[in-house]
Amino acid sequence: MPHSNLPSAISNPITEDDIANYLANTPDFFERHAELLSCVQLSSPHNHRAISLQERQASLLREKIKMLELRIMDMIRNVNDNMVLSDKLLQWARTLFLNTDPATLPELMAAELADQFSVPQVGIKVWGVDAAYAGASFAQGVSDDAKSFVSSLTEPFCGVNSGLEAINWLPDPKAVVSLAILPLRAGPVGSTAPAFGLLVLASPDSQRFTSTMGTDFLARVAELASAALSPLR
């Protein structure tokens, strides 16, 4: 007749989780049994051959180092790209501040933006200007609806061409696929003061200006442009 009281090791067999928990809660186990480490064999993630625990750890460490190196290279590329942008922004700002004729400033601003940052098309309009500049082309052709829309923007807007009035200020509106519109207003970035102008940057590339891109740099461009245009008002 079978014995009803089987040993606990048989009735409750040890599981892998039991072993893992034991080793996790007994950190000195391998200090007492160091010889076991040299006997552990694992499968290589690359060719599935058996390798020692030390080899597997070394392989994992090499992979981590490689990933860190790639991240560092990405960071270096980003830093270099930012430095290039900063240099171009300074060159653009320097050109604006050296200009002594306010009447030519908007056209110069747009042309230099296109040149420094390789933007295919750039347009600009400024309203509420001094009477001396009211007849200039940059101060005409803006509807009240467009002015209200620009004033409602608290930061640059980027996205696909949706038929905004502003694209008609560009040399070739039909070629516009993506664009960035930068409201110009007095005060720092984020100011809610009424806008007095708008910069339009346009491209035939749908990925040049996207709704998910960061706008911090464009906001700085708008802030500098707004300050430079203050003599017109």
Side-chain angles (χ1 to χ4, degrees):
M1 182 175 181
H3 199 287
S4 60
N5 296 318
L6 294 176
S8 60
I10 298 176
S11 60
N12 297 299
I14 297 175
T15 66
E16 290 184 355
D17 289 340
D18 293 330
I19 297 172
N21 288 331
Y22 174 78
L23 294 176
N25 291 291
T26 314
D28 58 343
F29 175 82
F30 285 109
E31 292 181 6
R32 299 194 305 271
H33 303 279
E35 71 283 356
L36 292 177
L37 291 175
S38 61
C39 300
V40 175
Q41 296 287 306
L42 302 171
S43 295
S44 169
H46 302 294
N47 53 26
H48 303 294
R49 70 179 180 85
I51 58 174
S52 68
L53 178 62
Q54 291 91 336
E55 287 181 282
R56 179 63 181 272
Q57 289 176 318
S59 176
L60 292 175
L61 184 58
R62 284 193 294 270
E63 290 179 4
K64 288 183 178 180
I65 292 173
K66 185 176 180 179
M67 291 178 63
L68 288 173
E69 288 176 343
L70 292 174
R71 290 180 61 185
I72 291 172
M73 291 304 297
D74 284 340
M75 291 173 64
I76 291 174
R77 279 193 291 269
N78 288 335
V79 169
N80 289 338
D81 290 345
N82 288 336
M83 289 179 64
V84 170
L85 280 178
S86 295
D87 287 343
K88 290 182 176 181
L89 185 63
L90 288 173
Q91 289 295 327
W92 177 69
R94 179 178 180 275
T95 301
L96 301 185
F97 295 140
L98 288 175
N99 178 69
T100 57
D101 182 5
T104 64
L105 185 57
E107 183 178 347
L108 174 66
M109 181 178 291
E112 286 295 315
L113 268 176
D115 182 56
Q116 289 287 348
F117 300 100
S118 301
V119 181
Q121 297 191 71
V122 179
I124 184 171
K125 292 290 183 180
V126 185
W127 49 88
V129 297
D130 186 271
Y133 310 109
S137 59
F138 62 77
Q140 299 178 357
V142 185
S143 69
D144 290 338
D145 286 343
K147 294 176 183 178
S148 297
F149 169 68
V150 176
S151 287
S152 71
L153 298 175
T154 57
E155 60 185 21
F157 168 84
C158 298
V160 297
N161 177 12
S162 58
L164 294 174
E165 177 183 316
I167 66 168
N168 295 317
W169 308 342
L170 300 169
D172 187 5
K174 293 181 179 179
V176 178
V177 177
S178 67
L179 74 166
I181 52 179
L182 287 58
L184 305 176
R185 53 166 47 92
V189 173
S191 171
T192 57
F196 64 78
L198 180 68
L199 266 170
V200 186
L201 284 61
S203 171
D205 181 359
S206 62
Q207 298 302 308
R208 180 67 188 270
F209 303 108
T210 66
S211 59
T212 57
M213 68 184 293
T215 59
D216 289 347
F217 180 78
L218 294 175
R220 296 303 172 192
V221 170
E223 192 174 29
L224 285 172
S226 299
L229 291 167
S230 58
L232 295 175
R233 308 181 70 242

